[in-house]
C-alpha cells in the first residue's frame, strides 16, 4: 500500500480549519477510501502529485474544469502576462469587451453575456431574471444531480438544513409529458436542464419539444452548460443539438481551471439587468471579482486553444481508448456486467455493481482503493486533452490489477477482508454518518 501519512495529517488539520475538510463537497475525504484521500501539491498535464510524493494519473480533472491539462502553457503565459498589469480595477477593462466578444462568437443565439466566478451565481441569476420577466415564482428543474448551491435548488436535496421551503418542482429527462404537466399550472418562471449528461442523450424531438412547451406556456428555457460547455463542443451542447435557449449558464472548463462562469442570453431579457431599459431593473449579477483580469485572460486563451488544437477530439480519443481497454479487461475476467465504463467518451463514468448486480458503494470504494494504490486518481474516468497514450496505458494496467481484486470480492460475495475502512458516501446527504470524520 502507498504511504498517505502526510496527506492524512494535512486532512486532519483541514477538518479543524475548514468545515468538511474541503471547500467543495465533491472533493471531501468521505468521497475516498478511509485514510487514502491524497492531498495534492502540484499537477502537470494529466498527472498530479500528493504531499507524500505519490504521483497519479488524474481523472475528473478538477471536477471537469480542466480540459487542456494542468499548467497548460498558453493559458499560464496569458494569465501571467495579463496580471502583471493589474488584476482588479474600479472601472471595466478592454479585456472585458474582448472576452465578451469571444464568448458571443462561439455560443449560437446568445446576444449578451455577463461573467461571474462560479456556476451557482449564474444559474441563480437566470432564475431571478426569469421571475422578473414572467412575474412568476416557481422553477421547474430536471431530475439531474445539481444546479446551484442556492436555496431554490439545494432546498430540493437532502442537505436542506437552514433552507426555507422552496417552490421548485421537478420533471423527468426525456419526458415531454412531465414537462407539459409542470408547465400546465401556469406558475413556472423557467425550465432549467442539462441538454445531455454523461449517461443520457436527448431523445429525438425532446429538446425541441421543451422549447415549444416553454413558448406555449410563457416560461423561459434555461440550459445549464456547466459540464457540456467546452466538453461536448466549444459552443456547448446547444451548438450540437441545435436548440436555442432563452438563457444559458456556463462555467467549469471555460478557464481551464481558472475561476470564471457566465450567464448568456437573449438581449431582450439580459437588458433588464442593464441601463438601457425602462422596466424595473433586475439585480442580475454584480461581483467584485467577476471581471478579474486573470480569469478573463485564461478564458480567451482557452477559446484560442479550442479554435486551433481541437481538444475535444483528443479527450474523446483518450476516452474511447480507455473505455475499450477496460471493457476488454472486464470481459477477460468475466465481470463485465459488474464493472463497466459508461458515457460519452469525453465524460466517462464507471458503474460498480455487487454480486446481485445492484449498484454498490462498498464495491465502488474497493475499486477506488485499488486504483489509488496503483497510481490512478479516479472518481470517474473523465479525460482531458492532456491524457496521453502512456497515461491510458498506465491506467489500464492499474485497472487490470484492481479488477482482479474486484472479481475476488464478487466471488466471495462481499468486500470483507479486501476493503480497508468504510465505504464512501453520497456527497449530498442529510447526516455526516456513515462517514463522520
Amino acid at each position: 500500500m502507498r504511504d498517505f501519512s502526510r496527506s492524512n495529517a494535512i486532512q486532519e488539520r483541514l477538518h479543524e480549519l475548514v468545515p468538511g475538510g474541503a471547500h467543495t463537497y465533491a472533493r471531501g475525504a468521505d468521497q475516498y477510501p478511509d485514510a487514502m484521500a491524497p492531498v495534492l501539491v502540484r499537477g502537470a498535464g494529466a498527472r498530479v502529485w500528493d504531499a507524500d510524493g505519490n504521483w497519479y494519473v488524474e481523472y475528473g480533472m478538477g471536477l471537469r474544469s480542466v480540459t487542456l491539462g494542468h499548467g497548460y502553457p498558453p493559458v499560464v503565459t496569458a494569465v501571467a502576462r495579463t496580471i502583471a498589469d493589474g488584476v482588479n480595477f474600479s472601472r471595466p477593462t478592454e479585456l472585458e469587451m474582448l472576452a465578451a466578444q469571444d464568448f458571443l462568437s462561439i455560443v449560437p443565439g446568445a446576444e449578451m453575456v455577463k461573467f461571474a466566478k462560479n456556476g451557482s451565481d449564474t444559474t441563480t441569476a437566470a432564475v431571478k431574471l426569469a421571475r422578473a420577466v414572467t412575474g412568476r415564482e416557481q422553477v421547474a428543474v430536471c431530475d439531474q444531480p445539481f444546479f446551484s448551491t442556492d436555496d431554490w435548488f439545494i432546498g430540493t436535496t437532502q442537505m436542506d438544513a437552514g433552507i426555507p421551503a422552496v417552490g421548485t418542482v421537478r420533471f423527468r429527462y426525456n419526458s415531454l409529458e412531465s414537462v407539459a404537466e409542470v408547465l400546465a399550472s401556469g406558475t413556472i418562471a423557467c425550465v432549467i436542464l442539462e441538454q445531455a449528461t454523461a449517461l443520457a442523450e436527448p431523445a429525438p424531438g425532446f429538446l425541441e419539444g421543451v422549447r415549444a412547451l416553454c413558448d406555449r406556456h410563457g416560461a423561459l428555457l434555461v440550459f445549464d452548460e456547466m459540464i457540456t460547455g467546452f466538453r461536448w463542443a466549444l459552443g456547448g451542447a446547444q451548438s450540437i443539438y441545435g436548440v436555442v435557449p432563452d438563457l444559458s449558464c456556463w462555467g467549469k472548463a471555460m478557464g481551464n481551471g481558472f475561476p470564471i462562469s457566465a450567464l448568456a442570453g437573449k438581449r431582450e431579457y439580459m437588458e433588464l439587468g442593464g441601463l438601457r431599459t425602462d422596466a424595473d431593473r433586475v439585480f442580475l449579477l454584480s461581483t467584485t471579482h467577476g471581471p478579474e483580469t486573470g480569469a478573463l485572460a485564461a478564458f480567451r486563451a482557452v477559446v484560442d486553444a479550442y479554435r486551433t488544437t481541437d481538444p475535444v477530439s483528443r479527450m474523446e480519443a483518450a476516452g474511447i481508448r480507455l473505455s475499450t481497454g477496460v471493457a476488454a479487461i472486464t470481459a477477460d475476467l468475466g465481470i463485465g456486467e459488474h464493472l463497466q465504463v459508461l458515457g460519452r467518451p469525453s465524460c466517462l463514468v464507471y458503474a460498480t455493481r455487487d454480486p446481485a448486480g445492484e449498484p454498490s458503494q462498498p464495491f465502488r470504494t474497493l475499486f477506488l482503493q485499488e486504483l489509488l494504490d496503483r497510481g490512478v486518481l479516479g472518481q470517474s474516468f473523465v479525460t482531458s486533452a492532456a491524457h496521453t497514450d502512456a497515461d491510458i496505458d498506465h491506467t489500464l494496467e492499474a485497472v487490470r490489477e484492481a479488477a482482479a481484486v474486484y472479481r475476488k470480492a464478487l466471488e466471495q460475495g462481499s468486500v470483507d477482508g479486501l476493503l480497508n475502512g468504510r465505504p464512501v458516501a453520497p456527497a449530498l446527504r442529510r447526516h455526516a454518518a456513515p462517514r463522520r470524520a
Side-chain angles (χ1 to χ4, degrees):
M1 296 291 287
R2 289 189 169 202
D3 180 20
F4 291 90
S5 56
R6 190 155 189 270
S7 284
N8 291 335
I10 295 171
Q11 182 64 74
E12 186 62 31
R13 182 62 176 147
L14 276 167
H15 279 301
E16 306 231 348
L17 303 170
V18 178
H23 285 90
T24 317
Y25 287 114
R27 290 184 169 102
D30 58 341
Q31 302 304 292
Y32 293 86
D34 265 330
M36 291 183 72
V39 173
L40 304 181
V41 295
R42 68 184 181 94
R47 300 196 178 194
V48 293
W49 285 259
D50 71 14
D52 295 281
N54 303 309
W55 67 266
Y56 310 86
V57 176
E58 185 189 17
Y59 293 92
M61 301 296 290
L63 307 184
R64 298 185 179 90
S65 69
V66 177
T67 55
L68 301 175
H70 299 299
Y72 183 70
V75 171
V76 172
T77 298
V79 172
R81 182 175 61 244
T82 300
I83 65 175
D85 290 328
V87 175
N88 217 324
F89 304 94
S90 56
R91 283 282 295 141
T93 63
E94 183 182 27
L95 181 57
E96 294 174 50
M97 178 192 72
L98 296 172
Q101 288 178 170
D102 281 349
F103 185 92
L104 295 173
S105 73
I106 64 175
V107 179
E111 296 171 326
M112 300 188 84
V113 63
K114 199 154 191 182
F115 296 116
K117 280 301 177 210
N118 65 73
S120 294
D121 288 344
T122 62
T123 53
T124 294
V127 166
K128 193 184 333 179
L129 185 54
R131 286 170 169 166
V133 168
T134 63
R136 304 168 182 172
E137 187 172 329
Q138 275 196 305
V139 178
V141 301
C142 193
D143 56 355
Q144 294 162 329
F146 195 84
F147 289 101
S148 177
T149 62
D150 295 303
D151 289 3
W152 65 270
F153 177 73
I154 287 298
T156 70
T157 73
Q158 288 195 17
M159 281 185 74
D160 61 353
I163 309 295
V166 297
T168 300
V169 296
R170 295 269 192 171
F171 63 89
R172 298 185 304 281
Y173 185 72
N174 272 339
S175 169
L176 285 177
E177 293 79 8
S178 70
V179 178
E181 184 177 345
V182 298
L183 285 173
S185 67
T187 62
I188 303 299
C190 63
V191 170
I192 183 167
L193 74 156
E194 294 179 278
Q195 297 152 86
T197 66
L199 298 178
E201 287 285 314
F206 173 66
L207 295 176
E208 293 85 353
V210 175
R211 173 75 275 179
L213 284 168
C214 286
D215 291 340
R216 185 183 311 159
H217 291 278
L220 268 60
L221 176 59
V222 182
F223 283 159
D224 181 328
E225 293 262 21
M226 296 301 159
I227 293 173
T228 52
F230 295 83
R231 188 164 286 280
W232 266 235
L234 173 60
Q238 58 196 272
S239 70
I240 294 176
Y241 304 121
V243 175
V244 178
D246 297 303
L247 303 169
S248 57
C249 305
W250 303 69
K252 290 195 183 289
M254 279 183 69
N256 198 49
F258 280 87
I260 183 169
S261 62
L263 171 67
K266 296 179 178 178
R267 185 178 304 277
E268 63 181 295
Y269 304 132
M270 297 289 285
E271 284 279 24
L272 293 178
L275 293 172
R276 302 197 299 185
T277 180
D278 295 320
D280 290 347
R281 295 173 68 207
V282 177
F283 194 92
L284 190 57
L285 278 168
S286 184
T287 58
T288 298
H289 300 296
E292 166 263 313
T293 63
L296 293 179
F299 165 68
R300 297 199 72 210
V302 167
V303 171
D304 183 67
Y306 271 72
R307 283 175 166 159
T308 58
T309 69
D310 195 12
V312 173
S313 290
R314 297 206 309 280
M315 69 178 86
E316 287 183 344
I320 290 169
R321 192 162 179 268
L322 177 60
S323 60
T324 301
V326 173
I329 290 168
T330 57
D332 285 346
L333 292 171
I335 61 171
E337 294 183 356
H338 297 273
L339 181 58
Q340 295 176 309
V341 175
L342 307 167
R344 195 178 185 91
S346 62
C347 198
L348 295 173
V349 296
Y350 53 80
T352 52
R353 298 187 176 92
D354 65 16
E358 296 298 321
S360 170
Q361 293 284 51
F363 275 81
R364 171 180 170 80
T365 312
L366 178 65
F367 189 57
L368 274 169
Q369 170 187 285
E370 298 304 309
L371 289 180
L372 280 165
D373 202 37
R374 292 164 176 82
V376 175
L377 179 60
Q379 285 181 295
S380 68
F381 279 146
V382 173
T383 56
S384 75
H387 280 81
T388 65
D389 284 349
D391 293 325
I392 302 302
D393 288 343
H394 175 85
T395 303
L396 291 174
E397 290 175 14
V399 168
R400 183 174 294 279
E401 295 179 9
V405 178
Y406 198 100
R407 175 180 171 174
K408 184 177 180 180
L410 289 170
E411 290 172 343
Q412 70 179 29
S414 75
V415 299
D416 293 349
L418 297 171
L419 178 62
N420 302 312
R422 300 167 294 177
V424 299
L428 298 183
R429 60 186 190 275
R430 190 170 300 279
H431 299 109
R435 282 295 298 270
R436 191 181 190 282

